[in-house]
Amino acid sequence: MDLQFTPQEQAFRDDVRAFLKDQLPARIANQVKAGQRLSKADQEEWHAILNARGWLANHWPEAHGGPGWSTVQKFIFDTECALAGGPRIVPFGVNMLGPVLIKYANAQQKAHWLPRILSGEDWWCQGYSEPGAGSDLASVKTTAVRVTDASGDHYIVNGQKTWTTQGQHANMIFCLVRTDREAKAQSGISFLLMDMNSPGVDLRPIRTLDGDCEVNEVFFTNVKVPAKNLVGEENKGWTYAKYLLTYERTGIAGVGFCIAALVKLKVIAARVLKNGKPLDQDPLFAARMARVDIDLENMKTTNLRVIAAAASGGVPGAESSMLKIRGTEIRQEILSLIRRAMGPYALPFEEEAQYAGYAEPLLGEPEAATAAAHYFNYRKLSIFGGSNEIQKNIISKMILGL
């Protein structure tokens, strides 16, 4: 296995850098680098720029609107975007639902839904977690009963989803629903596409520790969903759900964002003083930075090994669990160090400072205003997408055979 980039891949990286220099709006990049929240309009603007270049769904095959990149090219693009301050691509439609539709949907569904994901006509959210079914998705209780009446063939959906990220922006939700209560838990689940504007859908925001309301509860009361919105076969949704989760977990690792965050931490540590010396000369702080630096280098190597294996056409397997665990732990440690570097200036919480246009004087270092909010928000990383404890169980069974 050769972990060095080829001359062609280095030339591709130059193309990506030139594109980002010309096309990534400085306003958005500055917000990302400052740790400020982006609006839906900001995210849609960046998606439209990437889509115009044909780079939005960079892991989709060319036949469905992808650029036909190798997995190495995708890794290079993601890393360069993160370093340049490019926003994270909102994953629900492009990175999570798209691959499921491409692999399991029928021709009519692909022709209808995939172009709408690329154009931004549909904004998707994920209806997986429930109050009693987070990492244990086999326990989902939201029901979908198939009926045929004068209005056609459809499902009647009742139940509740929770932790629905960015559901407040979405007009569509992909859901795991129970279509057979008598079958084995994993065998009675189906994968439905639902219109969030349907009668009977009620969305309620959840305020989180960082002061944001990016997650929601979604309630379904006798919601009518056309049967044509069933993806794949009825009661086979567990297979599609697992396929989607491998992409979600690999994406959660966020190797590119870890690299960018570590660069930011090193800049801060070289600038902030402790006892008259830069923080990166403090033995304890420097030791923690060195440890996370080593961990990140190891994760990059693992990521490239996964990429090299996937280049033959495979999909991420248990390796996605490894990346999810290490990636989330590394990002949490980096954010913990940034918050620690801010010292007492990370304590005041000014929600308005999280948004562009905030003009009031800041206390302490520029990063202080967002340090605590990011630290608290990213506690979720090791929980969502299947908690890290669940990922360790997967590794123990699939890799170690325990």
Side-chain angles (χ1 to χ4, degrees):
M1 180 180 63
D2 185 0
L3 298 181
Q4 301 299 317
F5 293 137
T6 66
Q8 291 78 15
E9 289 162 349
Q10 292 174 10
F12 172 77
R13 183 173 58 188
D14 292 340
D15 289 342
V16 172
R17 288 176 174 174
F19 166 77
L20 292 169
K21 182 179 179 182
D22 293 339
Q23 298 294 320
L24 174 60
R27 168 182 52 81
I28 293 179
N30 290 337
Q31 283 181 249
V32 172
K33 290 179 180 177
Q36 294 177 325
R37 295 168 184 157
L38 298 180
S39 67
K40 180 181 180 182
D42 292 330
Q43 293 167 322
E44 289 178 325
E45 180 181 353
W46 180 231
H47 279 209
I49 291 170
L50 291 175
N51 189 43
R53 181 64 180 263
W55 286 2
L56 175 59
N58 57 53
H59 56 295
W60 291 13
E62 288 182 271
H64 296 293
W69 286 348
S70 68
T71 45
V72 175
Q73 286 175 305
K74 181 180 179 301
F75 171 80
I76 291 171
F77 176 79
D78 289 346
T79 302
E80 293 301 325
C81 268
L83 289 171
R88 178 183 182 227
I89 293 173
V90 180
F92 307 107
V94 175
N95 295 339
M96 294 161 64
L97 177 62
V100 172
L101 294 177
I102 290 169
K103 186 172 179 65
Y104 295 108
N106 60 42
Q108 290 78 16
Q109 290 172 329
K110 292 177 185 176
H112 180 75
W113 297 113
L114 292 176
R116 294 166 66 93
I117 292 175
L118 294 177
S119 69
E121 190 169 356
D122 290 326
W123 182 296
W124 289 87
C125 60
Q126 183 184 38
Y128 269 29
S129 294
E130 297 182 2
S135 293
D136 180 19
L137 287 173
S139 298
V140 296
K141 290 183 170 55
T142 296
T143 60
V145 179
R146 190 163 184 161
V147 298
T148 301
D149 57 23
S151 62
D153 192 14
H154 50 260
Y155 290 92
I156 300 297
V157 178
N158 284 281
Q160 177 189 357
K161 298 294 178 180
T162 192
W163 310 122
T164 308
T165 305
Q166 298 202 10
Q168 72 273 28
H169 298 320
N171 66 306
M172 295 294 299
I173 181 170
F174 54 88
C175 274
L176 294 181
V177 293
R178 186 158 299 284
T179 42
D180 187 346
R181 301 186 207 187
E182 306 301 322
K184 179 183 173 185
Q186 290 89 345
S187 302
I189 295 172
S190 297
F191 194 101
L192 272 187
L193 311 179
M194 302 171 61
D195 188 334
M196 291 285 283
N197 296 311
S198 302
V201 177
D202 181 24
L203 182 140
R204 304 174 191 174
I206 299 173
R207 192 170 183 85
T208 48
L209 274 173
D210 63 336
D212 201 3
C213 293
E214 67 173 356
V215 294
N216 305 270
E217 293 177 290
V218 185
F219 296 85
F220 306 102
T221 304
N222 295 323
V223 178
K224 183 182 289 187
V225 181
K228 66 180 181 181
N229 285 14
L230 172 72
V231 175
E233 299 180 46
E234 190 173 276
N235 298 326
K236 299 290 185 182
W238 184 252
T239 299
Y240 320 141
K242 289 192 298 181
Y243 182 77
L244 181 149
L245 284 171
T246 59
Y247 281 91
E248 181 182 8
R249 289 164 184 163
T250 304
I252 291 173
V255 177
F257 289 103
C258 287
I259 295 171
L262 184 58
V263 170
K264 180 178 180 178
L265 171 62
K266 288 181 177 179
V267 170
I268 293 172
R271 188 183 68 223
V272 173
L273 301 181
K274 178 182 179 182
N275 297 328
K277 294 182 179 180
L279 193 55
D280 60 6
Q281 294 182 23
D282 176 79
L284 295 178
F285 197 90
R288 287 183 66 175
M289 281 211 311
R291 181 165 187 168
V292 77
D293 202 347
I294 292 168
D295 287 343
L296 178 53
E297 285 302 313
N298 289 336
M299 186 177 72
K300 286 163 61 178
T301 302
T302 301
N303 192 53
L304 288 171
R305 289 174 59 194
V306 172
I307 287 172
S312 59
V315 297
E319 296 83 358
S320 64
S321 296
M322 297 167 57
L323 290 172
K324 198 266 181 179
I325 293 170
R326 296 307 293 142
T328 55
E329 290 176 343
I330 289 169
R331 292 174 80 180
Q332 288 178 336
E333 174 66 359
I334 293 173
L335 291 170
S336 177
L337 288 170
I338 290 176
R339 182 180 64 93
R340 181 171 291 272
M342 296 301 103
Y345 296 112
L347 287 176
F349 179 74
E350 298 177 83
E351 185 168 358
E352 295 80 4
Q354 314 292 314
Y355 297 94
Y358 183 72
E360 297 299 318
L362 296 172
L363 296 174
E365 296 291 326
E367 295 83 1
T370 59
H374 284 180
Y375 170 81
F376 287 123
N377 185 283
Y378 279 74
R379 295 298 95 189
K380 69 187 179 187
L381 286 178
S382 51
I383 300 173
F384 70 36
S387 70
N388 283 9
E389 288 74 16
I390 293 294
Q391 305 314 310
K392 291 174 182 176
N393 285 342
I394 292 173
I395 292 169
S396 69
K397 292 179 181 177
M398 296 182 64
I399 296 181
L400 303 178
L402 300 177

